[in-house]
Amino acid sequence: MNLDIEKLRAETPGISEGIHLLASGSALMPQPVIDAVINHTKLEARLGGYEAQAQMAGMLENVYDVVAAHLGSDRREIALTENATVAWCQAFYALPFKPGTRILTCEAEYAANYVAFLQRAKKDDLDIDVVPSDASGAVDLEALETMIDDRVGLIAMTWIPTNGGLVNPAAEVGRIAKKHNVTYLLDACQAVGQMPVDVGAIGCDFLSATGRKFLRGPRGSGFLYVARKWLETLEPVMIDHFAAPWVAKDKYQLRDDARRFETWENSYALRAGLGAAVEYAAALGLAAIQNRVWKLASTCRDMLKQLPGAKIRDIGAQQCAIVSFTIDGLEPRETVAVLRQQGIAIGASDPSSTRLDAEARKLPVVMRVAPHYYNTEHDLEQFIQAVRRLL
Ligand SMILES: Cc1ncc(COP(=O)(O)O)c(C=O)c1O
């Protein structure tokens, strides 16, 4: 399906404020998402929070169906969370590991996940083993397979890192995990909303994601997919009386769905916004979105290469909609601040966000541009001209 870019831009009020090129940070919300959040908030103001929830119960329940359909899962396998990190941590910290268990991860792993590995390694006497990258920069599948032994309890990987263009082979990793019967936790934070996601094809046990990035949802929204087989056995590391009703004086009973990873109190306005965002993306088609955003990113790389002193810092055989680069003589954070004053939003990414990859490649702070489908080549030209003026 071809995207009607003019219509999509008209449905994005933020477009009139400037040029936003940071979908990998927090993208511009479309009008239906804004309406969903504001309408629910207004209803809460009019009726009261509990009453608004009761009135909109059908719509709020439907968010689980919408997210499940987006991932090709069952609604019972979805927990709604406040961000991707909470979703990821809920799964990771719940997994029981014997001392000496090995966790396999990738060089592009995100900081939030890696510090959690470090904490559990210290507390539970686990080993963290990093699978090397292949020549393209993606996780080396052969190395991954040879590293698996009886002590490996988890493969935890980032599909698309926070910067660097890379798309890790998530489904191939899933096939290896399945073959060796190893649990597989996938960080899909930067992938959802940017490309099709099918948990069946990936073969992961858990998948975490956020609402605000390529999905164009509100900040403070995210979700966790928990494969059905875990719903009978996995005990969350913390529970409340929603996750596990108090059924007798000395007894609680865990819910039989992924909502055992939720708590009683939530932002229903943000959930309404998340549901609207996922519906919006689904109506456009994720393949069409991927096609558009990857093309814009590729054009952006070509334009940047024309600038003196510009270095594209991306890796991977196929490169996604996140473009990382440096330009000799331009300090990334200052450049981001100056461009922001001119109404152009890009980002800067610190080596500590992806320390293993950054150290291996001796990366400095890099600048990050992530166009969404509502951006145009003209936006990219304006951005390049603004940078050229700084040189
Ligand atoms: C690869 C990756 N994983 C996880 C996260 C964390 O997402 P959240 O801020 O929604 O918790 C990010 C955020 O930038 C990310 O880039």
Side-chain angles (χ1 to χ4, degrees):
M1 189 175 91
N2 272 339
L3 301 178
D4 182 346
I5 303 303
E6 280 317 307
K7 176 170 178 288
L8 296 170
R9 285 171 68 80
E11 289 172 0
T12 305
I15 296 269
S16 62
E17 299 288 324
I19 298 174
H20 196 276
L21 288 167
L22 197 55
S24 59
S26 184
L28 295 176
M29 290 180 282
Q31 194 62 51
V33 171
I34 300 165
D35 290 344
V37 175
I38 290 178
N39 289 343
H40 194 81
T41 306
K42 282 185 174 164
L43 198 65
E44 287 184 346
R46 270 182 43 225
L47 306 183
Y50 291 11
E51 295 72 17
Q53 181 189 353
Q55 183 158 316
M56 300 310 289
M59 177 274 287
L60 292 168
E61 272 302 307
N62 190 46
V63 179
Y64 292 91
D65 296 296
V66 167
V67 173
H70 195 74
L71 304 180
S73 73
D74 187 282
R75 72 192 312 275
R76 292 184 54 245
E77 297 171 308
I78 302 299
L80 300 178
T81 60
E82 50 268 54
N83 54 51
T85 303
V86 166
W88 189 95
C89 285
Q90 283 284 15
F92 174 67
Y93 281 98
L95 287 165
F97 296 129
K98 286 193 296 234
T101 296
R102 296 170 64 210
I103 296 169
L104 298 186
T105 188
C106 59
E107 288 191 342
E109 195 63 4
Y110 185 60
N113 307 346
Y114 208 88
V115 295
F117 296 152
L118 290 172
Q119 190 191 41
R120 279 204 75 182
K122 189 168 67 173
K123 255 176 44 189
D124 300 330
D125 194 17
L126 311 179
D127 292 325
I128 312 163
D129 288 321
V130 180
V131 182
S133 302
D134 65 16
S136 77
V139 62
D140 185 325
L141 296 168
E142 271 179 38
L144 167 65
E145 191 145 17
T146 57
M147 285 172 78
I148 295 178
D149 63 15
D150 290 348
R151 285 205 297 127
V152 173
L154 180 69
I155 298 173
M157 302 234 170
T158 296
W159 191 353
I160 293 187
T162 204
N163 55 45
L166 180 66
V167 184
N168 263 326
E172 287 77 2
V173 171
R175 273 191 278 285
I176 293 170
K178 198 156 267 174
K179 182 169 153 199
H180 296 275
N181 201 19
V182 179
T183 305
Y184 178 23
L185 165 56
L186 182 65
D187 176 339
C189 187
Q190 298 282 16
V192 291
Q194 177 176 174
M195 59 201 284
V197 176
D198 177 347
V199 287
I202 296 167
C204 53
D205 295 278
F206 307 96
L207 177 146
S208 55
T210 207
R212 72 180 182 282
K213 295 178 184 259
F214 285 91
L215 269 177
R216 308 183 64 195
R219 294 198 69 175
S221 63
F223 54 85
L224 171 68
Y225 156 79
V226 182
R228 198 160 322 158
K229 70 172 187 187
W230 290 100
L231 297 178
E232 272 124 52
T233 53
L234 199 61
E235 178 119 10
V237 86
M238 53 155 257
I239 54 170
D240 74 350
H241 58 308
F242 175 81
W246 194 11
V247 291
K249 196 171 158 206
D250 54 2
K251 195 170 170 211
Y252 64 86
Q253 190 168 346
L254 282 168
R255 290 179 62 105
D256 65 359
D257 58 19
R259 293 192 223 184
R260 66 173 57 182
F261 292 101
E262 295 181 1
T263 50
W264 192 88
E265 173 59 0
N266 295 288
S267 166
Y268 292 99
L270 298 183
R271 285 184 171 193
L274 176 69
V278 177
E279 276 180 326
Y280 195 83
L284 299 178
L286 271 296
I289 292 173
Q290 175 180 356
N291 189 29
R292 165 103 184 151
V293 297
W294 286 24
K295 240 185 227 152
L296 281 171
S298 165
T299 304
C300 182
R301 285 186 191 98
D302 290 342
M303 289 177 173
L304 279 166
K305 282 178 199 158
Q306 307 303 316
L307 293 176
K311 292 189 188 71
I312 306 294
R313 304 292 189 156
D314 295 335
I315 50 174
Q318 29 157 221
Q319 293 183 339
C320 71
I322 306 175
V323 181
S324 300
F325 61 97
T326 52
I327 300 178
D328 293 346
L330 290 189
E331 203 287 312
R333 294 196 189 285
E334 267 172 43
T335 308
V336 169
V338 170
L339 291 181
R340 185 175 289 159
Q341 279 171 357
Q342 299 175 21
I344 300 175
I346 70 162
S349 192
D350 194 87
S352 67
S353 301
T354 48
R355 183 168 289 287
L356 303 180
D357 174 50
E359 286 184 1
R361 294 201 281 139
K362 297 189 172 49
L363 286 183
V365 177
V366 295
M367 286 177 270
R368 198 165 61 134
V369 162
H372 216 319
Y373 52 74
Y374 47 71
N375 290 118
T376 60
E377 284 200 17
H378 184 64
D379 289 347
L380 298 176
E381 280 158 10
Q382 305 263 92
F383 152 66
I384 294 286
Q385 275 171 26
V387 175
R388 210 181 271 285
R389 285 195 292 271
L390 302 178
L391 292 174

